[in-house]
Amino acid sequence: MDSTEETPAATPDAPLGLRERKKAATRQAVHEAAMRLTREHGLDHVTVEAIADAAGISRRTFSNYFAGKEDAVLYGREQHLQRLLDSVRDRPAEETNWQALRAAALVLRDARLDPPRREWAQQTRLAMSHPSLLGRQLSTLATLERDLAATLTARHPATTDPVRARVMAAAFLVTLRLAMQLWIEEDEQAEDPMELMLRTMDEMGERFT
C-alpha cells in the first residue's frame, strides 16, 4: 500500500536481510516522527522537511520512502491492514470466507502486531480532523476492499461470486471502522477495540455464515 518500493515480507523461510531491515527501520522512524509532529502541531503546520529533520534523514531520502506527509502519518495503519489481508490469504481452505476474516482478526490480536491500538486511535482521530488524511485513508480502504474481495473470491470461487465477495469485504471493513469509533467515543475506556470488532463481526456475520 506504500507508494514506494515495497520491502519484501519476512517469512520463517525468508527473513528480512540487513538492507531490508534498515529500510523498514527508516520507514518506521519517519512514520513515528510524522505522527509526533502532527500530534504536537497539527498536520497543516507540519512540513516534509520538518519530518525529515526529526527522523534524521534528508528531504531526498524522505521521498524515497513516502510520497508526502499524509503517507508517512498513515503508514502504520496501512501496514496493519496489509498484514490483515495477508492473514486472510493464509487461512485454511476449509474455513468459510467469513470464518477466515474473523480468524485473521484474531491472529492480529493475539500477535499484538504494530501499530498498537492507541496509535490506531490517534490516526483515526487525525484522519477525522484533516480532509487530506481522510481522503488518503478512504483511497487506501477502497484498494483494500478490492484486494480483499479478490482474495475471498479466489478462496472459494465456486461459491463466492464477485458481488458477494465485495459485499463481504465491505461489511468486514465496516466492523473495523465501527469498533474503533465506538472505542474512541468511549474515550478509550471501553473494552478492547479488538473485542468490539469481534462482537460487531458476529452481528454482521449472521448474513455470511
Side-chain angles (χ1 to χ4, degrees):
M1 294 180 186
D2 189 355
S3 60
T4 63
E5 176 187 357
E6 290 294 330
T7 299
T11 67
D13 297 324
L16 287 176
L18 177 61
R19 181 170 178 269
E20 287 74 22
R21 290 199 301 272
K22 287 183 176 179
K23 290 172 66 176
T26 299
R27 279 194 178 92
Q28 185 63 27
V30 174
H31 164 61
E32 291 174 0
M35 284 289 295
R36 183 176 66 255
L37 291 174
T38 300
R39 287 195 302 267
E40 293 173 356
H41 306 292
L43 184 68
D44 295 338
H45 301 289
V46 174
T47 64
V48 167
E49 288 76 13
I51 296 172
D53 288 344
I57 61 173
S58 68
R59 172 66 174 81
R60 180 176 180 180
T61 300
F62 178 98
S63 298
N64 290 335
Y65 290 93
F66 296 105
K69 59 185 180 181
E70 291 83 3
D71 291 325
V73 168
L74 294 176
Y75 171 71
R77 186 185 185 97
E78 293 180 3
Q79 288 297 101
H80 188 80
L81 293 174
Q82 183 60 55
R83 291 187 185 109
L84 183 62
L85 178 60
D86 293 340
S87 296
V88 174
R89 288 185 177 129
D90 293 339
R91 296 306 305 169
E94 58 267 23
E95 292 179 347
T96 68
N97 279 335
W98 194 256
Q99 288 171 339
L101 290 167
R102 194 180 191 283
L106 282 170
V107 167
L108 293 182
R109 182 198 65 181
D110 295 341
R112 299 185 182 277
L113 295 173
D114 291 333
R117 62 191 184 187
R118 295 195 185 281
E119 180 178 332
W120 184 289
Q122 290 167 354
Q123 291 178 2
T124 299
R125 287 195 183 95
L126 288 173
M128 292 168 63
S129 303
H130 298 282
S132 61
L133 283 178
L134 182 58
R136 178 71 173 80
Q137 182 174 288
L138 290 175
S139 176
T140 296
L141 289 175
T143 299
L144 177 65
E145 181 183 302
R146 290 193 298 270
D147 292 345
L148 191 55
T151 297
L152 297 177
T153 301
R155 290 186 78 252
H156 296 293
T159 57
T160 307
D161 63 72
V163 172
R164 179 178 175 83
R166 195 66 177 266
V167 170
M168 194 180 302
F172 175 67
L173 293 178
V174 166
T175 67
L176 295 180
R177 177 179 58 80
L178 181 58
M180 186 53 62
Q181 287 183 343
L182 288 170
W183 194 56
I184 289 173
E185 288 169 4
E186 294 295 327
D187 291 327
E188 303 173 21
Q189 300 302 313
E191 61 188 289
D192 189 300
M194 289 298 297
E195 295 301 328
L196 280 171
M197 189 188 75
L198 293 175
R199 286 177 55 198
T200 307
M201 283 195 71
D202 289 341
E203 292 288 339
M204 188 84 72
E206 292 184 6
R207 175 65 179 81
F208 301 114
T209 55

